[in-house]
C-alpha cells in the first residue's frame, strides 16, 4: 500500500489534471468524478464559493491531519486509518452512471457511511484472494460502516447502538488483534472531526476520547436520555440564547408529547437535523417532528434524514449563505396554524401552499428524507422574490408574497433584511437615550421592541423598573428571548398586538408607554378597516395605550 504522503500526492496530481492515475485508484476515481455536492452546509459560509469538489477537499484535509499529527503512529495502524479515510466518503460522489449502478445494486447512498462501506466491500471482491488480508479488511469495512458516528452521537443525531457493530467486532477479535484499537479510533475520529472544523475538534476532544474508550472496552449502555439528546440537537440555538431547560420543562410536561418523542427517538437516527432546524424555534422544532411522527411508519423506519430540507432552506444572499427566509416564513406561518394539541392527536390542518413531505430513500421504508414542498404558485412567487432582490421590484414583490400567504405587513422590513433592520434600529441609540430620560415610574412598556436597544436603555436608566417589550412578530420575540438569556437581561418580552394592549396588560397599570420607530410601520403595513396607510390605525394604537396607562403617566 502507498504511504500517506503518496495519497496526498495522488489527490494533488488528480486536481492538477492528471486523470490517468484515476484508473489505478478507484477511491480517488469516485471522489474525483462527481457532479454531486453532498456536504453538510452548516459550516459553509457561501454556497456560491463552495469548493468545486467539497467532498474530495474534505478527504484531503482529513488525510493531511493524519499526516501532520500522527507521524509516530505504527505504519500498520496508519494504513488502516488511511484506507478508512479514502473510502468513507465515496457514497457521496461517483459519476451519474456509477451512482445509478450502485443504486441498482441496492447500495444505500443517502446514508453515506452505510453506502460507502458497501462500495468498499464490493471493490475488495476484485482483489485476488491470495492478496487479501481478511481481518484487516473486515476492520476497515466496520470502521467505514461506523464512520463519523462518534461525532454524530456527540451531536445527538445518532443512537449509541449504531456503534454496536464496531464494539462487537472488537470483542470478537480481541484475542488476535495486532493493533491498538483505542489509538486507531481516537486518531481516526480526530481526523474526521477536525476535517470539519478545528474549533469543533477542540470542543469535543475530551468527549471523543471518552467515547472511544467505551467502544474499545466493549461498553454498550451509554445511550443519551431523550432530554440530553434534544439538548444536543439544540446546541446552536442554546448558544444563541434559547432557554432549553425552561422550554423542555414547559412542553414535555405533556405526557403524550413526551411519549411520542421517546418512541420516535428510541427507534431512529436523525441526520442533518441541527443543520436544517437550528433557525426554527423550539416550538416549531417540536411541531416539525410531530408532523414527521404522523407520516412515518414507526414499524419500519430506522433513519430519518433532514438533508433535503437542509439543502432547500439555504441559498446565497449577497454572496453569503443565508436561510431562505421566504420559505422559512411560509413554513412558520403553516406551523403557527397547527396547534400542538392537534398535532399530538393527529389532527392537522391542510395548507394549500406548503406541506411536510417524507421522501423514501429505500424500498423497505427504513430510511426516509424530510422536506417541505410548496405549491406551484408559491414556488414561482418565492423565485420571483429572490430574483427581485436584485432590482427596484423588491418592495413590490415582497408585498405580493405577503398578500399571497396572508402575512402581516408590519414584518415587511424584517423579512430578508431582518439582521440589518434590527441593527439599524439599535444604531439609533443616541436618539433613544433621550426617550429613556423622559420615562418615569416603575412599570414601562416598549411597543415594537425590535432589536431590544430601547429595553436596554430603559433598564440602564431605570434599573428598578418592571420593563416589558412587546412585538407582533414571532421572530422578533424569539430573538429577544434569546438575547435576554444570552446577555442576562432583566427586562421581559411578550408577543402582543399594540392595538389591543388591554388584552395583555391591566387597565391603568403602566407608568410609561413608548412608541419608538414603530408608528410609521403600523401606518404603512397594518390593514385597518380594510386598507393600509390609514391614519386611524395610529389613533387606535394611541387609544389602546391610554387604556392601560395610569392617570398622569407618560
Amino acid at each position: 500500500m502507498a504511504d500517506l504522503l503518496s495519497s496526498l500526492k495522488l489527490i494533488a496530481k488528480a486536481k492538477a489534471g492528471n486523470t490517468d492515475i484515476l484508473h489505478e485508484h478507484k477511491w480517488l476515481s469516485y471522489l474525483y468524478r462527481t457532479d454531486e455536492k453532498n456536504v453538510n452546509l452548516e459550516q459553509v459560509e457561501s454556497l456560491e464559493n463552495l469548493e468545486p469538489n467539497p467532498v474530495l477537499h474534505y478527504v484531503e484535509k482529513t488525510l493531511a491531519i493524519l499526516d501532520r499529527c500522527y507521524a509516530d503512529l505504527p505504519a500498520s495502524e496508519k494504513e488502516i486509518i488511511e484506507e478508512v479515510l479514502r473510502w468513507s466518503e465515496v457514497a457521496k460522489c461517483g459519476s451519474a452512471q456509477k451512482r445509478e449502478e450502485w443504486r441498482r445494486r441496492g447500495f444505500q447512498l443517502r446514508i453515506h457511511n452505510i453506502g460507502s462501506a458497501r462500495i468498499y466491500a464490493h471493490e475488495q471482491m476484485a482483489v485476488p484472494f491470495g492478496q487479501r488480508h481478511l481481518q484487516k479488511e473486515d476492520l476497515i469495512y466496520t470502521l467505514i460502516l461506523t464512520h463519523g458516528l462518534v461525532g454524530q452521537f456527540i451531536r445527538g443525531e445518532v443512537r449509541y447502538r449504531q456503534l454496536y457493530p464496531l464494539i462487537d467486532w472488537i470483542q470478537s477479535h480481541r484475542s488476535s488483534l495486532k493493533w491498538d484499537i483505542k489509538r486507531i479510533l481516537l486518531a481516526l475520529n480526530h481526523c474526521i472531526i477536525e476535517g470539519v472544523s478545528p474549533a469543533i475538534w477542540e470542543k469535543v476532544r475530551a468527549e471523543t476520547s471518552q467515547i472511544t474508550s467505551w467502544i474499545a472496552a466493549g461498553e454498550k449502555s451509554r445511550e443519551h436520555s431523550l432530554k440530553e439528546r434534544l439538548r444536543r440537537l439544540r446546541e446552536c440555538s442554546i448558544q444563541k440564547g434559547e432557554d432549553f431547560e425552561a422550554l423542555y420543562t414547559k412542553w414535555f410536561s405533556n405526557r403524550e408529547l413526551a411519549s411520542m418523542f421517546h418512541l420516535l427517538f428510541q427507534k431512529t437516527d436523525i441526520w442533518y437535523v441541527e443543520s436544517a432546524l437550528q433557525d426554527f424555534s423550539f416550538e416549531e422544532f417540536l411541531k416539525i417532528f410531530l408532523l414527521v411522527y404522523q407520516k412515518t411508519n414507526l414499524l419500519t423506519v430506522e433513519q430519518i434524514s433532514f438533508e433535503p430540507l437542509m439543502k432547500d432552506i439555504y441559498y446565497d444572499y449577497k454572496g453569503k449563505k443565508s436561510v431562505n427566509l421566504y420559505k422559512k416564513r411560509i413554513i412558520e406561518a403553516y406551523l403557527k396554524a397547527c396547534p400542538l394539541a392537534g398535532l399530538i392527536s393527529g389532527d392537522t390542518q391542510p395548507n394549500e401552499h406548503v406541506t411536510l413531505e417524507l421522501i423514501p430513500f429505500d424500498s423497505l421504508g427504513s430510511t426516509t428524507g424530510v422536506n417541505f414542498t410548496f405549491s406551484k404558485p408559491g414556488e414561482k412567487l418565492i423565485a420571483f422574490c429572490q430574483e427581485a432582490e436584485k432590482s427596484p421590484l423588491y418592495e413590490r414583490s415582497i408585498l405580493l408574497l405577503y398578500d399571497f400567504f396572508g402575512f402581516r405587513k408590519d414584518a415587511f422590513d424584517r423579512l430578508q433584511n431582518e439582521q440589518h433592520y434590527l441593527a439599524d434600529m439599535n444604531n439609533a441609540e443616541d436618539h433613544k437615550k433621550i426617550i429613556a430620560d423622559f420615562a418615569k415610574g416603575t412599570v414601562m412598556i416598549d411597543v415594537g421592541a425590535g432589536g431590544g436597544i430601547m429595553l436596554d436603555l430603559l433598564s440602564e436608566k431605570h434599573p428598578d423598573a418592571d420593563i416589558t417589550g412587546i412585538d407582533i412578530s414571532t421572530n422578533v420575540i424569539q430573538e429577544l428571548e434569546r438575547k435576554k438569556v444570552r446577555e442576562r437581561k432583566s427586562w421581559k418580552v411578550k408577543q402582543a398586538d399594540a392595538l389591543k394592549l388591554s388584552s395583555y396588560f391591566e387597565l391603568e397599570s403602566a407608568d410609561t408607554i413608548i412608541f419608538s420607530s414603530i408608528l410609521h410601520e403600523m401606518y404603512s403595513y397594518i390593514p385597518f378597516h380594510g386598507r393600509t396607510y390609514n391614519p386611524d390605525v395610529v389613533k387606535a394604537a394611541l387609544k389602546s395605550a391610554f387604556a392601560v396607562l395610569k392617570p398622569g403617566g407618560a
Side-chain angles (χ1 to χ4, degrees), residues 195-213:
V196 174
S197 163
I200 292 175
W201 168 244
E202 289 304 317
K203 181 179 177 182
V204 304
R205 180 199 292 258
E207 190 171 7
T208 302
S209 179
Q210 178 66 76
I211 294 168
T212 53
S213 294

Side-chain angles (χ1 to χ4, degrees), residues 66-82:
L66 180 59
D67 188 42
R68 182 180 72 247
C69 298
Y70 295 96
D72 297 332
L73 202 66
S76 61
E77 295 177 11
K78 201 169 182 179
E79 285 180 358
I80 289 170
I81 297 169
E82 175 188 7

